[in-house]
Amino acid sequence: KQEVTQIPAALSVPEGENLVLNCSFTDSAIYNLQWFRQDPGKGLTSLLLIQSSQREQTSGRLNASLDKSSGRSTLYIAASQPGDSATYLCALGAGGTSYGKLTFGQGTILTVHP
Amino acid sequence: AAGVIQSPRHLIKEKRETATLKCYPIPRHDTVYWYQQGPGQDPQFLISFYEKMQSDKGSIPDRFSAQQFSDYHSELNMSSLELGDSALYFCASSSNAGTGSYEQYFGPGTRLTVT
């Protein structure tokens, strides 16, 4: 059974800092990995998708890496802004007949203060 | 761009009642997923459908059932509701056929409150 752990559970940083969120998983037989953002009581917004054959993906100030052999992914946020404050979730997509069902980590609660 | 639509957005029911949640996937997406997110919890996979057939099943109670219709919309039916069923219910869709990326796009969720 896939287990996903996100570290740290919470992070508070001043505006402008570069930061790294970590995600580790136990089963490397994944189809893909997605990073999501969730605002309180709201839906999930997909930030980045990394296919299992890829090593990283970039979108604006965000960069996500994937190392299947070590069971790790990192989300790098450059020049953080108060609007980045949210919960960040990583999710592993299962392959085969699971058609990519996602197993989520518990999330990292990020607060960026002005 | 069209997104995943869920209805209703909020639902209040009493214990032992029945609830039906609806999901309309992004056009041309062939797979629908349902997730449950309890207070302070991460989303948990319930069930998925690929081309109108159930493709996978997670920790879905026997009191819950779901189906996908010919127009690809999906409904999650919940009976004999319990207080513990109070949660955010998300529907997601993806395009998985051929070179589909399996990237999931989530709807805004239905907040179910059982009193």
Side-chain angles (χ1 to χ4, degrees):
Chain A
K1 178 188 172 187
Q2 180 72 273
E3 294 185 3
V4 185
T5 303
Q6 290 188 241
I7 294 173
L11 185 61
S12 180
V13 299
E15 182 176 6
E17 274 204 6
N18 302 324
L19 51 98
V20 175
L21 308 182
N22 297 289
C23 171
S24 62
F25 49 94
T26 55
D27 186 353
S28 62
I30 62 171
Y31 191 84
N32 59 27
L33 183 149
Q34 277 186 259
W35 281 93
F36 292 91
R37 168 192 172 132
Q38 185 174 30
D39 294 287
K42 303 292 187 182
L44 288 86
T45 301
S46 180
L47 299 173
L48 288 165
L49 168 76
I50 308 178
Q51 301 290 0
S52 64
S53 58
Q54 297 174 322
R55 299 281 293 183
E56 66 176 332
Q57 282 288 337
T58 298
S59 176
R61 294 183 294 108
L62 306 179
N63 175 276
S65 66
L66 173 63
D67 183 345
K68 285 203 318 179
S69 62
S70 65
R72 293 182 180 179
S73 176
T74 60
L75 177 66
Y76 176 82
I77 303 176
S80 58
Q81 303 170 358
D84 295 331
S85 298
T87 297
Y88 289 80
L89 295 154
C90 74
L92 283 302
T97 57
S98 292
Y99 287 89
K101 75 172 187 184
L102 296 175
T103 300
F104 286 83
Q106 292 280 344
T108 293
I109 302 172
L110 174 64
T111 303
V112 182
H113 47 89
Chain B
V4 176
I5 297 171
Q6 292 188 245
S7 67
R9 295 292 307 278
H10 302 273
L11 191 57
I12 299 175
K13 292 285 186 178
E14 295 187 354
K15 286 193 304 183
R16 293 180 289 279
E17 284 193 321
T18 297
T20 297
L21 310 184
K22 296 185 179 182
C23 169
Y24 298 84
I26 292 172
R28 292 179 295 282
H29 277 193
D30 50 30
T31 307
V32 167
Y33 311 80
W34 286 96
Y35 294 86
Q36 177 192 57
Q37 186 177 30
Q41 303 293 316
D42 55 286
Q44 295 290 319
F45 171 75
L46 292 178
I47 195 166
S48 62
F49 293 88
Y50 171 67
E51 285 291 344
K52 293 158 282 184
M53 299 288 291
Q54 181 181 309
S55 55
D56 204 354
K57 198 171 181 180
S59 50
I60 183 170
D62 292 340
R63 300 177 288 108
F64 294 7
S65 65
Q67 58 182 322
Q68 187 177 30
F69 295 85
S70 58
D71 64 353
Y72 288 89
H73 94 272
S74 178
E75 295 184 3
L76 178 65
N77 298 291
M78 310 158 68
S79 62
S80 303
L81 288 169
E82 302 174 356
L83 295 178
D85 296 328
S86 295
L88 260 175
Y89 289 84
F90 290 109
C91 172
S93 72
S94 67
S95 173
N96 295 345
T99 58
S101 69
Y102 287 53
E103 181 172 9
Q104 292 186 31
Y105 296 85
F106 279 69
T110 294
R111 181 173 295 281
L112 172 66
T113 302
V114 182
T115 62

